[in-house]
Amino acid sequence: MGGGPGWEDGLRPYQPEPSSPVRPFTVTGGRSAPRTHLAMETLVHSTIPAYHDLSGLIPEYQAICSLCRQVRSVAEISALLRVPLGVARVLISDMAAENLVQLHHPQLDAGKPDLNLLERVLSGLRRL
């Protein structure tokens, strides 16, 4: 089966080399702000078909594409990849600009996020 909770599809989380001196923000080119605003509950879905070769993408993009074959929130992606939320937001925003992922922004009702969506995000985080 999978490599841990939430990895029922047999995928393993992206993990930088433990001995690597490279900091997480290096993969974003030092940027800490995404191109577009991404709430942590924004849902992300890969636009790349499962059979498509991902080897031409950087490892972080490969991991996100693989993870997002199922719809996942930005917060889930950050937790599963074990990268700071800011890094995940920058990477996902860049991927959206390149049409590698599709974003589903939460519908706000009078400034309040959808309760059903928040329950799904919380459930996903608990599975971690």
Side-chain angles (χ1 to χ4, degrees):
M1 277 280 150
W7 293 96
E8 59 280 342
D9 53 6
L11 299 173
R12 293 180 36 196
Y14 164 76
Q15 294 182 358
E17 292 294 319
S19 61
S20 173
V22 177
R23 307 287 289 168
F25 284 96
T26 304
V27 299
T28 66
R31 292 179 297 128
S32 59
R35 296 175 188 211
T36 59
H37 173 72
L38 290 177
M40 62 187 281
E41 64 271 10
T42 298
L43 299 178
V44 183
H45 187 262
S46 177
T47 60
I48 308 291
Y51 57 83
H52 191 273
D53 180 22
L54 300 176
S55 63
L57 301 175
I58 63 171
E60 295 81 13
Y61 284 12
Q62 290 177 20
I64 292 170
C65 281
S66 296
L67 271 176
C68 294
R69 289 199 173 112
Q70 296 178 355
V71 176
R72 302 210 188 249
S73 70
V74 171
E76 284 179 292
I77 295 166
S78 173
L80 290 169
L81 295 182
R82 297 184 179 145
V83 297
L85 186 58
V87 170
R89 284 179 169 150
V90 170
L91 292 171
I92 293 164
S93 176
D94 290 351
M95 290 178 73
E98 295 180 34
N99 294 317
L100 298 173
V101 294
Q102 184 177 24
L103 304 176
H104 307 278
H105 296 282
Q107 297 296 320
L108 298 179
D109 183 22
K112 298 179 185 176
D114 179 28
L115 185 58
N116 185 31
L117 173 63
L118 291 177
E119 288 173 355
R120 286 181 50 210
V121 170
L122 182 59
S123 173
L125 291 173
R126 284 184 179 145
R127 287 193 309 257
L128 300 176

